[in-house]
Amino acid sequence: MKINFPLLALATGAFGIGITEFAPMGLLPDMAEGLGVSIPAAGLLVSAYALGVMLGAPLMTLTTARMNRRTLLIGLMAIFTIGNFLSAIAGDYTTLMVARVITSLNHGAFFGVGSVVAASLVAPEKRASAVAAMFMGLTLANVIGVPLAPWVGETFGWRTAFGAITIWGLITMAALRFALPDIPRAEGGNMLAELGVLKRREVLVALALTAIGSAAMFTVFTYIAPILTEATGAGTLYVTAMLVIYGLGLTLGNWLGGIFADRSIDRTLIVSLAGLAALLLLFAVTMVSPIAAAVTIFAWGVATFAIVPPLQMRVMEAASDAPNLASAVNIGAFNLGNAVGAAVGGGVIGLGLGFPAVSVAGAVMAVAGLAIVLASRTRSAPLPVAAKA
């Protein structure tokens, strides 16, 4: 696809949101020390953000259903900017907690409405690629934000990181204002119509698939640092390099997922989920070797994010007449999957089954997602003429 400035503006917003979501994970020790709290207490700031995403996605989407789409996206980035500014100047733990929740409220609605807007900016056969282009900002945030955040925290202080994100929010607001066309709300779009699509079986299946696919990733990724430290025997530099390699895999997978989902959403999901399951099983074996682990981690990243564009498109197509809420709730389903995956992986570790078993558990989650796709295809397949008769 040629450079599309409206899509680039949306990706700019996705990059900023990704940074503000991922950066605190690397800043936790500095934030805990600066606020005088324990690291587990600082970790609750991450949990509060995830909870805010799940609650904010439907709330913000429903209450803004009648707004002009460009105005809405700029307004959501204004919330993002204010929240990060409050984080930068927060004088105590409670204020920072409130600021993180405020920041999170824009997340689901921005990606949900932004996906619908991105798909509307291109020809019908390029819609999945357009959604992938917006999500490219999120994957690049993972490449840059995760390894960079600890360095920024140690060198300039964690408040500087939030200050820089605040400036990025202002840049994004300007980009959206000048790059996006004036997009009115969809005719007939209203709260009841948006709520009604959540009752559809196809939409519920798509949301469940998103949660399970995300859980397959985070069952293992949540514990990637201790896995590489203990099972691979690697040092901090290697762990940082693997996070970058994984992020590069996510970026490539996102791009490929958009291209192939334009041809077939279900086939892309089947291949990606099967590949994800196979690679997680392989990682259970290769995690003991630094070189083999690096190759597997990159391929695992590709398979992981190759499912994101088709998952988002599946929900949008299932709720085609009122897609905004379903699309935003799908982002919440990603975050739900994150929490489920972390709990599953933690449970496996708690049982003393070892890190290879964690990777196997992630593979099982991917197989469950694959089974849902295959079952839904079988259910929706048209009957032969003889059977109809």
Side-chain angles (χ1 to χ4, degrees):
M1 297 175 68
K2 296 179 180 179
I3 294 178
N4 184 313
F5 286 103
L7 290 181
L8 185 59
L10 291 170
T12 300
F15 179 85
I17 293 173
I19 289 288
T20 203
E21 180 181 16
F22 298 134
M25 299 176 187
L27 295 170
L28 284 183
D30 297 293
M31 293 167 66
E33 181 180 354
L35 296 169
V37 299
S38 66
I39 289 181
L44 291 178
L45 295 168
V46 177
S47 301
Y49 185 94
L51 180 61
V53 172
M54 288 188 284
L55 296 177
L59 176 64
M60 298 298 294
T61 305
L62 288 174
T63 55
T64 59
R66 297 184 178 277
M67 285 184 65
N68 174 284
R69 301 293 89 180
R70 182 177 66 183
T71 302
L72 171 58
L73 289 169
I74 294 172
L76 291 170
M77 285 311 300
I79 295 173
F80 165 90
T81 304
I82 292 170
N84 279 293
F85 176 73
L86 293 175
S87 296
I89 65 172
D92 54 59
Y93 177 77
T94 302
T95 303
L96 183 57
M97 178 69 76
V98 172
R100 289 295 291 167
V101 172
I102 291 173
T103 307
S104 71
L105 294 177
N106 81 94
H107 186 126
F110 185 90
F111 278 109
V113 175
S115 295
V116 176
V117 170
S120 72
L121 295 172
V122 297
E125 67 274 11
K126 291 289 185 181
R127 292 189 304 157
S129 293
V131 172
M134 186 189 73
F135 274 91
M136 193 69 73
L138 182 62
T139 62
L140 290 176
N142 203 17
V143 174
I144 298 171
V146 172
L148 186 62
W151 178 80
V152 172
E154 291 178 7
T155 307
F156 302 104
W158 61 270
R159 296 180 189 279
T160 303
F162 285 111
I165 298 170
T166 301
I167 295 173
W168 189 266
L170 294 172
I171 294 172
T172 302
M173 291 171 66
L176 292 170
R177 173 62 183 82
F178 292 107
L180 280 185
D182 190 28
I183 307 171
R185 69 176 180 88
E187 289 297 324
N190 58 68
M191 187 178 296
L192 290 178
E194 295 284 351
L195 285 171
V197 300
L198 296 182
K199 300 178 182 178
R200 297 177 188 171
R201 175 188 171 277
E202 295 82 2
V203 173
L204 294 175
V205 169
L207 293 173
L209 183 57
T210 294
I212 292 174
S214 177
M217 168 188 174
F218 278 90
T219 296
V220 187
F221 183 67
T222 303
Y223 305 97
I224 189 66
I227 287 174
L228 294 177
T229 301
E230 298 182 30
T232 315
T236 303
L237 183 61
Y238 179 86
V239 173
T240 301
M242 290 305 99
L243 291 174
V244 174
I245 286 176
Y246 185 74
L248 292 173
L250 296 181
T251 303
L252 177 60
N254 177 68
W255 177 64
L256 291 174
I259 290 176
F260 288 108
D262 279 330
R263 302 177 185 178
S264 173
I265 291 174
D266 282 355
R267 282 201 296 271
T268 304
L269 285 173
I270 290 170
V271 172
S272 299
L273 286 168
L276 179 58
L279 287 164
L280 288 175
L281 288 174
L282 181 62
F283 187 54
V285 178
T286 61
M287 65 173 60
V288 297
S289 167
I291 296 176
V295 175
T296 308
I297 285 170
F298 176 77
W300 165 31
V302 173
T304 293
F305 236 73
I307 69 175
V308 173
L311 284 175
Q312 194 71 8
M313 286 302 303
R314 206 173 201 265
V315 170
M316 289 163 57
E317 288 194 352
S320 57
D321 53 328
N324 293 292
L325 178 60
S327 181
V329 170
N330 196 48
I331 304 300
F334 275 111
N335 282 267
L336 176 61
N338 297 355
V340 170
V344 170
V348 172
I349 294 172
L351 291 173
L353 299 178
F355 288 122
V358 175
S359 197
V360 172
V364 171
M365 300 291 283
V367 170
L370 178 60
I372 291 176
V373 177
L374 294 174
S376 62
R377 277 171 61 89
T378 302
R379 185 183 180 95
S380 60
L383 291 172
V385 175
K388 289 181 181 179

